[in-house]
Amino acid sequence: MCRWMAYSGDPLQLDLVIFKAQHSLIDQSLHSRLGATTTNGDGFGVGWYGPDPNEAPFRYRSIHPAWNDRNLREAARAIRAPLFVAHIRAATDTPAQETNCHPFRHDRWLFVHNGSIRDYPLLRRELLMQVDPRYFLSLEGSTDSEVMFLLALTFGLETDPLPALERMAATVEDAGHRHGVEHPLNMTICALDGERLIAVRYSSEANSRTLFHNNDVRHLKQLYPDEPRIAALGDDTYMLLSEPLTELPGVWQEVPEATAIIAHKGDVQYFPFVPGGL
């Protein structure tokens, strides 16, 4: 499948988590320990926001394996951002091409996904027909992930994110069940709007892809007073990621099944995620 991570907090140099961490995203692209596939080499993408959250986010995507892209290494050293997301892809059902690399973008929004819509070729036409024409023009690739993003936008992601994501999930499950797909949806997703991280861990069979977040940084600084990587983090740091970056005990906590998260400048809220709204 895929691996992703998202960050919110004081401006952070991207290569600290993409390259330099013990189990960085580059390490996960070659040696994923918790993913459905060990290697995630079908492209990558990074999206980040500048100082003005009202401006459209920046994005760099490539079909190269993340471990073999020298420009990514240079960019990650140069970029410091308070809000960003990075994704490495293992393709399923759709080709390895730049337009299928995450994150997907619409205005101020970025979106990444790990998982799948099962039997997506069977459901694709029906799901595409439910995308509002305003957003259909944004369609560039052929992945299930991009269609999920456009459906969420159709259902109100820009104004009321959680109900929009619940309706998107319900739409996928309804289409799947009508076509005889027992467990249509498996996802960890993250949407960013320039200020917030909005994430969900959910699957139709209650066996979702892995997703973790860091524990409170103030507590971690007391727990590991001599750990420079933790000392360098701001107190409001919040990371969501498919796999932990380190093996230090007590740093990471798994996101429960069927959970939605909204993180905004140090304020983190957790909600039950229940597809519905049809």
Side-chain angles (χ1 to χ4, degrees):
M1 294 300 175
C2 306
R3 306 277 85 186
W4 62 263
M5 68 157 299
Y7 171 89
S8 173
D10 293 343
L12 185 74
Q13 192 169 321
L14 269 61
D15 75 338
L16 294 177
V17 291
I18 295 178
F19 284 95
K20 291 183 177 180
Q22 180 183 7
H23 297 299
S24 68
L25 208 61
I26 295 300
D27 178 67
Q28 293 175 36
S29 69
L30 285 162
H31 308 294
S32 172
R33 297 169 297 154
L34 302 177
T37 56
T38 301
T39 303
N40 299 272
D42 295 319
F44 68 87
V46 181
W48 69 97
Y49 293 85
D52 184 353
N54 294 314
E55 291 184 350
F58 302 97
R59 189 173 55 159
Y60 174 44
R61 301 186 297 174
S62 172
I63 60 171
H64 294 157
W67 67 80
N68 197 33
D69 191 287
R70 297 174 67 182
N71 290 326
L72 174 62
R73 187 177 294 274
E74 293 293 320
R77 283 199 311 121
I79 298 167
R80 292 175 58 88
L83 185 66
F84 63 84
V85 64
H87 184 280
I88 49 177
R89 184 170 185 246
T92 54
D93 291 329
T94 53
Q97 61 191 47
E98 186 176 308
T99 54
N100 285 342
C101 293
H102 310 219
F104 303 101
R105 180 175 62 189
H106 178 80
D107 290 339
R108 293 184 299 117
W109 287 83
L110 294 170
F111 182 89
V112 296
H113 167 228
N114 175 33
S116 66
I117 296 176
R118 291 189 176 88
D119 290 329
Y120 176 61
L122 180 65
L123 309 182
R124 183 170 184 260
R125 181 181 181 277
E126 180 174 338
L127 295 176
L128 282 170
M129 293 296 290
Q130 298 189 61
V131 174
D132 189 289
R134 292 176 298 164
Y135 302 111
F136 196 90
L137 294 176
S138 299
L139 181 68
E140 294 183 326
S142 56
T143 68
D144 54 354
S145 306
E146 187 176 16
V147 172
M148 290 165 63
F149 180 37
L150 297 179
L151 285 171
L153 287 166
T154 296
F155 299 141
L157 178 69
E158 296 167 290
T159 56
D160 202 356
L162 290 189
L165 292 170
E166 289 179 331
R167 187 174 174 189
M168 176 273 288
T171 298
V172 172
E173 291 189 319
D174 181 63
H177 291 152
R178 284 188 285 101
H179 285 83
V181 183
E182 183 179 5
H183 300 302
L185 182 59
N186 194 309
M187 67 180 193
T188 66
I189 56 174
C190 186
L192 305 85
D193 67 355
E195 296 185 353
R196 299 172 294 175
L197 299 177
I198 300 130
V200 176
R201 184 183 185 217
Y202 174 81
S203 60
S204 304
E205 68 273 33
N207 186 26
S208 303
R209 306 302 181 199
T210 55
L211 188 63
F212 296 84
H213 66 83
N214 64 288
N215 284 319
D216 181 76
V217 173
R218 298 174 185 85
H219 169 70
L220 296 179
K221 287 179 177 178
Q222 295 175 353
L223 188 63
Y224 295 104
D226 300 321
E227 174 52 64
R229 292 170 295 181
I230 293 175
L233 297 176
D235 288 348
D236 290 339
T237 293
Y238 187 74
M239 281 185 276
L240 282 164
L241 60 185
S242 298
E243 297 186 20
L245 297 176
T246 68
E247 296 179 359
L248 291 173
V251 173
W252 309 102
Q253 184 171 329
E254 189 167 15
V255 175
E257 284 280 351
T259 297
I261 299 167
I262 297 179
H264 180 230
K265 296 182 178 178
D267 177 43
V268 183
Q269 301 179 68
Y270 299 84
F271 305 91
F273 185 81
V274 183
L278 295 183

